[in-house]
Amino acid sequence: MRPPRLAAAAASAPIRQRHICTAAAATTTTETSSASTPAPQPTEPLSAQFANFRAAGATSAANGLASSLRKILASSPTDPRAFLLLRSAALDARLEPDALVDAVLSAADAGSPDEASVLLSRLLTCLSRGRRDCEPAAAAYARMVARGVVPDDRSRTDLLVFTARHASAKDALARFDEMRRNGHDADARMYDVVMRACFKEGTHGDALRLFDEMAAAGIKPDERVYALAIAVLCKLHDANRALRVLQEAKEAGFRPWDTMHNYVVEVLAKAGRMEEALHVKNEMLAAGGKMNVVLATSLMHGYCLLGKVGKALDLFDEAVRDGVVPTDVTYLVLIRGCRAEGMTDKAYELCCQMRERGLLPNAFEFNLVMKGLMKDNRWEDAIRLLEEMVDAGLPNAFTYNSLILWLSQNHKFHKALELWEKMKEAGLKPSIVTYHNLLLGYCRRGCMDEAVKLYSEMLEKGFTPNSVTYATLMKGYIHKKDFDKAYALLDEMAQKGVSCNEYIYNTLINGLRKVGRIFEVDEMLKRFISEGFVPTTMTYNNIISGFAKAGVLSSAFDMYQQMCEKGIQPNLATYTSIIDGYCRTNCCDLALKLLNDLRRKGLRPDLPAYSAVINGFCQQGNMSHALQFLVLLLKDGFKPNVVVYNSFMAGYKSLKMMEEASKFYHTMIKDGVVADTATYTTLIDGFSKAGNISFASELYSEMLASGNIPDHKTFIALTHGFIRSGDIDGAKKCLDEMSRLDVHPNAIIYNMLINAYIRDGNLQEAFQLHDEMLEKGITPDDTTNELVSQDFLKAVSHSPADTENPI
């Protein structure tokens, strides 16, 4: 047991002390003053007397103290005035520690050496508790040791506590080691004090060494030491020994505290040893302990680390039913576990539960939930959650930036702009990342005037453009097929001191390919090299891939040879691009030859290589060969991805075998592969052409529910399907749906609708669509012009409608 702190008497101590010290001072003055020196008045404070002595010199003050103590101890060795005088000298007059110790020992020479030891022990305690500076207490202890005095256990413990609190664990440990080297006894309380200091400062190895030394010294630990040793071992991840020490505490007759069990359960759970953790928990409950939130949270964390989030959630429900009140840590453990397992719904639900209980996730966990919602395309829930948490100050710039980026990338740019305004209303300053995300949105939509305006605003706000800024603008111009403006940005970069990097050069090189100027790539590459650009494998792979996708295999091989001549090593991606090129040009036999050459070189084809070959055979309608390569793909340890499944579905769709296409779709879902926009578009197109527009519409609804955003091809397929079924109004509604989803229609969709209305005899609606097309800035093509020409209108009035080919 620790000695109790006698704090209750502190309130009256100053008044009593003053009267006693005044009397002692009067006695001291009679002894030490000369006849010419008037004695201090009885009401003069003792501190003033020592001030007078100090004015005369430290020696005089020490001599005066010694004389007074000698007088008191001679009359009564246990007179309380002796300590009160010593205390005042130490705290009020602040005599040097050496002088204090020497004065006591000088006074004890005339009377009681044992009383001197008691007084000095009390002096050490007094200095340890009454001063904020460690030096006086340490100096007093050193002087005592030098003079052969051993302070008692209590005063040495107080010195260790004081050193740990006001200096450091390292100093306390050094002091403790010094005491033991001096042959001074140590007890469990001293070990506890120093171990606790080491634990708090993270020097767990020193704390454990002290625990081991206790056993060697034959000192039995108490409950506090056992609890501390278990905590140290758990911090050191030594679960096995923590279990042994827990058992030792029980065998020593102690009932382990709940905190001991909490520590052991935590370290076992983190190590994935859940059976042992549950056993320790059950032992605690059997001994009369109660389930607490720390213990429950540790077990939940252990389940989450093992991926058994369901068990963690079951334990959570059980603990709440038993009256355990979850903390924010409990919820955050579960939210992280749910996010790791893709359980976005549950993570969102837990986040809402926290709010209902008056708890708030931290910014990191909140952003985790937001990220999960965006990953599952639940952007509406993400925005709603953000708005609910604005008052709590949880959404930060990172939250807004992430959501703005997602909305910009997923055809929800008008929502991104609304969020941009809300971000400013919330008082959050946009960063350059925010501007980049908005620039991306404008550029993806082809709104380059707005992008340039935002870019100018960014400069006005003091943001310095970098390579990401210019690459984003370049991609925007390339998307608009305005390569000259994209290339002109290089001059502005040079003026602003932004150096070109590989990403910029590769962006421009890919841009040539995207705007159909693939044959200019070689010349531009030479120009960039003359400017100091050093092409890499990635650069050549991009160029080779561009030529291969364009079906210009001779140019792809030229680039391959140039690459080898420059000593740039081709990799698997290089060969895969060429294989893909062969397959796109119906030269699957050459693709197979190259595939075999790769195997002879010791290179194993990767999933993209297999995917290219499978897609080539599917495009040819050679499904048997495609299936053979699917078997090889599986044999080599790969799992088909959505691209492979889409190839099979597209192949069977072309053969009008929609039942087989559906089988691949269901197999894909069963294997956990997530369908994408291309998957649904292929199926919608296939079933629409098969005359099953109702099922195609169901697929469209499923597509939206799964978070996939339809594109132009999807709406072309749907529009064609409605027109084939005679539902022109349904086809017209596709335009409204495109507007709702922020998907811009193109000339093909308008041509189909105009043609359908003309053949239906509704020329007014046809011409209204033509005007609407012009208003939206969609350039009519040759088909459009032919449809609205007078010759076509006359011809169509005398011919039946062609429902198979509406254009």
Side-chain angles (χ1 to χ4, degrees):
M1 296 292 292
R2 290 190 175 189
R5 304 295 187 192
L6 301 179
S12 60
I15 299 175
R16 261 185 90 236
Q17 176 183 325
R18 190 178 184 96
H19 286 299
I20 295 171
C21 290
T22 303
T27 306
T28 306
T29 307
T30 305
E31 291 280 330
T32 58
S33 300
S34 65
S36 60
T37 305
Q41 296 298 319
T43 57
E44 183 183 15
L46 191 61
S47 58
Q49 177 188 347
F50 280 114
N52 294 332
F53 283 135
R54 287 181 67 86
T59 303
S60 296
N63 290 338
L65 174 63
S67 178
S68 298
L69 288 174
R70 189 179 297 111
K71 177 83 172 174
I72 295 171
L73 293 176
S75 64
S76 173
T78 59
D79 193 327
R81 293 180 301 167
F83 173 66
L84 293 171
L85 180 65
L86 184 61
R87 182 180 185 279
S88 183
L91 300 184
D92 296 333
R94 293 184 178 270
L95 292 187
E96 293 296 328
D98 287 0
L100 293 169
V101 174
D102 290 344
V104 172
L105 292 176
S106 175
D109 288 341
S112 173
D114 292 337
E115 183 60 30
S117 178
V118 172
L119 271 177
L120 289 175
S121 294
R122 296 182 71 185
L123 172 65
L124 185 58
T125 294
C126 174
L127 291 171
S128 297
R129 296 183 185 181
R131 299 279 291 270
R132 293 186 178 181
D133 183 9
C134 295
E135 288 303 319
Y141 172 74
R143 187 65 172 175
M144 293 175 200
V145 173
R147 296 292 302 271
V149 177
V150 181
D152 63 20
D153 293 350
R154 178 179 175 180
S155 62
R156 284 184 285 117
T157 301
D158 286 335
L159 176 60
L160 292 173
V161 171
F162 186 60
T163 306
R165 185 177 298 162
H166 294 281
S168 67
K170 182 180 179 182
D171 292 327
L173 184 60
R175 184 76 60 209
F176 187 48
D177 289 340
E178 178 191 353
M179 288 179 182
R180 290 181 295 167
R181 283 196 304 271
N182 291 334
H184 299 170
D185 293 335
D187 58 13
R189 166 69 172 141
M190 294 182 192
Y191 278 99
D192 173 55
V193 166
V194 183
M195 284 175 64
R196 194 166 300 279
C198 293
F199 179 77
K200 286 182 178 179
E201 293 191 14
T203 55
H204 302 124
D206 288 330
L208 185 59
R209 174 175 65 81
L210 289 172
F211 179 70
D212 292 336
E213 288 176 6
M214 286 184 72
I219 300 172
K220 293 183 178 180
D222 58 13
E223 286 176 298
R224 293 174 62 90
V225 173
Y226 273 123
L228 193 55
I230 289 171
V232 167
L233 289 165
C234 291
K235 289 291 183 182
L236 294 171
H237 308 291
D238 191 346
N240 292 331
R241 190 172 176 195
L243 282 168
R244 292 199 299 270
V245 173
L246 182 64
Q247 186 60 34
E248 286 176 21
K250 293 177 182 178
E251 292 172 356
F254 298 112
R255 177 184 173 276
W257 302 339
D258 288 354
T259 53
M260 299 186 197
H261 291 102
N262 290 346
Y263 270 117
V264 175
V265 167
E266 180 185 17
V267 72
L268 288 169
K270 285 183 177 179
R273 297 162 63 173
M274 288 303 295
E275 288 187 11
E276 294 171 273
L278 291 169
H279 178 71
V280 172
K281 183 262 294 184
N282 292 334
E283 282 188 341
M284 186 193 87
L285 298 180
K290 291 184 178 181
M291 174 67 81
N292 56 70
V293 68
V294 175
L295 187 67
T297 302
S298 295
L299 291 169
M300 292 175 208
H301 190 201
Y303 281 130
C304 290
L305 290 174
L306 293 174
K308 299 178 179 180
V309 181
K311 287 193 173 183
L313 293 169
D314 291 342
L315 178 60
F316 173 78
D317 294 337
E318 180 185 339
V320 171
R321 283 196 303 270
D322 291 343
V324 175
V325 179
T327 65
D328 55 344
V329 177
T330 312
Y331 278 107
L332 299 182
V333 162
L334 292 173
I335 286 171
R336 286 191 179 192
C338 290
R339 274 290 296 118
E341 295 300 313
M343 299 169 64
T344 303
D345 285 343
K346 194 63 184 178
Y348 178 57
E349 178 187 327
L350 289 167
C351 193
C352 295
Q353 270 188 37
M354 284 188 76
R355 191 166 179 271
E356 291 170 3
R357 287 181 176 269
L359 301 172
L360 287 174
N362 59 36
F364 178 77
E365 311 297 345
F366 172 69
N367 288 331
L368 266 184
V369 175
M370 295 287 290
K371 207 171 181 180
L373 291 171
M374 287 182 277
K375 186 178 179 182
D376 286 359
N377 297 317
R378 294 174 56 183
W379 58 274
E380 291 172 318
D381 286 335
I383 292 177
R384 190 179 303 112
L385 182 61
L386 181 143
E387 291 172 346
E388 290 174 357
M389 295 295 186
V390 165
D391 291 339
L394 272 180
N396 53 23
F398 178 83
T399 316
Y400 281 96
N401 287 342
S402 299
L403 193 46
I404 287 172
L405 176 61
W406 189 93
L407 293 168
S408 298
Q409 290 176 330
N410 290 274
H411 307 284
K412 297 285 181 295
F413 189 60
H414 61 290
K415 289 291 182 182
L417 292 175
E418 289 177 10
L419 206 61
W420 157 254
E421 294 300 326
K422 290 180 180 178
M423 179 182 181
K424 290 187 285 188
E425 289 172 7
L428 292 171
K429 292 183 178 179
S431 65
I432 193 170
V433 175
T434 319
Y435 280 101
H436 284 165
N437 294 343
L438 290 169
L439 279 176
L440 176 66
Y442 280 126
C443 292
R444 286 172 72 98
R445 289 167 58 92
C447 304
M448 293 311 297
D449 291 340
E450 288 84 352
V452 171
K453 183 179 178 181
L454 183 69
Y455 169 69
S456 300
E457 178 185 324
M458 179 181 123
L459 297 179
E460 291 171 3
K461 295 290 185 181
F463 292 103
T464 303
N466 55 29
S467 58
V468 176
T469 316
Y470 287 108
T472 304
L473 289 170
M474 286 175 184
K475 287 183 177 180
Y477 283 123
I478 290 168
H479 180 69
K480 293 282 287 184
K481 297 188 177 180
D482 194 346
F483 185 82
D484 294 333
K485 284 187 178 179
Y487 187 74
L489 287 172
L490 286 176
D491 295 332
E492 184 176 337
M493 288 179 66
Q495 292 172 7
K496 292 190 178 293
V498 180
S499 59
C500 282
N501 54 27
E502 183 182 358
Y503 182 66
I504 292 288
Y505 285 120
N506 286 340
T507 297
L508 289 169
I509 289 170
N510 284 334
L512 281 176
R513 174 174 60 84
K514 289 180 179 178
V515 298
R517 295 161 63 173
I518 188 67
F519 292 102
E520 298 176 34
V521 167
D522 190 21
E523 193 62 33
M524 176 162 280
L525 179 61
K526 291 176 182 177
R527 182 173 179 177
F528 286 162
I529 291 173
S530 69
E531 294 173 359
F533 172 56
V534 179
T536 62
T537 302
M538 181 184 294
T539 309
Y540 278 104
N541 283 351
N542 285 334
I543 298 173
I544 291 169
S545 175
F547 281 122
K549 287 178 179 177
V552 190
L553 270 300
S554 59
S555 297
F557 272 112
D558 289 342
M559 278 294 160
Y560 170 75
Q561 290 174 347
Q562 185 183 131
M563 178 182 186
C564 296
E565 289 169 2
K566 289 184 177 293
I568 299 172
Q569 189 67 32
N571 58 17
L572 192 57
T574 315
Y575 296 112
T576 299
S577 293
I578 298 173
I579 290 171
D580 183 49
Y582 280 136
C583 293
R584 286 175 182 272
T585 54
N586 292 322
C587 298
C588 291
D589 52 340
L590 295 177
L592 294 180
K593 183 177 181 300
L594 183 54
L595 207 60
N596 291 330
D597 290 342
L598 286 181
R599 289 188 181 279
R600 283 193 292 270
K601 290 180 180 180
L603 294 174
R604 191 181 73 158
D606 58 3
L607 184 59
Y610 278 116
S611 178
V613 174
I614 288 172
N615 187 56
F617 282 123
C618 287
Q619 286 181 342
Q620 291 180 355
N622 191 343
M623 304 309 292
S624 60
H625 277 60
L627 288 169
Q628 288 176 17
F629 272 90
L630 177 61
V631 172
L632 289 175
L633 179 153
L634 296 170
K635 187 178 179 182
D636 272 355
F638 297 110
K639 290 184 177 180
N641 57 16
V642 67
V643 177
V644 173
Y645 281 111
N646 285 348
S647 295
F648 278 103
M649 283 183 264
Y652 282 117
K653 183 203 77 169
S654 298
L655 296 174
K656 299 182 180 180
M657 299 171 66
M658 291 309 297
E659 185 176 347
E660 294 298 321
S662 295
K663 287 180 181 178
F664 266 91
Y665 170 71
H666 291 301
T667 302
M668 179 181 79
I669 300 303
K670 183 180 178 182
D671 290 344
V673 179
V674 179
D676 61 10
T677 298
T679 310
Y680 285 107
T681 299
T682 298
L683 294 173
I684 289 169
D685 187 41
F687 283 107
S688 294
K689 288 178 178 176
N692 195 346
I693 188 61
S694 60
F695 187 62
S697 298
E698 290 177 16
L699 284 169
Y700 175 75
S701 299
E702 181 183 322
M703 178 183 188
L704 294 179
S706 65
N708 285 288
I709 306 297
D711 57 15
H712 296 91
K713 293 179 181 179
T714 314
F715 284 108
I716 289 172
L718 275 173
T719 304
H720 191 189
F722 280 119
I723 291 173
R724 283 171 59 92
S725 66
D727 186 359
I728 302 179
D729 290 337
K732 178 67 165 53
K733 287 178 181 178
C734 286
L735 278 179
D736 298 331
E737 184 71 356
M738 292 181 77
S739 178
R740 185 182 73 84
L741 295 174
D742 202 24
V743 179
H744 288 283
N746 55 17
I748 296 175
I749 292 177
Y750 274 102
N751 289 345
M752 286 194 292
L753 287 168
I754 291 170
N755 187 31
Y757 278 117
I758 289 173
R759 292 187 179 277
D760 199 43
N762 193 341
L763 298 183
Q764 182 179 357
E765 187 68 30
F767 281 108
Q768 283 180 352
L769 283 171
H770 181 261
D771 293 342
E772 179 184 311
M773 180 180 178
L774 296 175
E775 289 172 2
K776 290 185 176 180
I778 300 171
T779 305
D781 57 14
D782 293 340
T783 303
T784 317
N785 294 329
E786 182 182 344
L787 285 172
V788 297
S789 68
Q790 292 299 321
D791 292 339
F792 178 79
L793 294 176
K794 290 178 182 177
V796 79
S797 63
H798 296 94
S799 61
D802 184 356
T803 58
E804 287 296 320
N805 297 290
I807 298 181

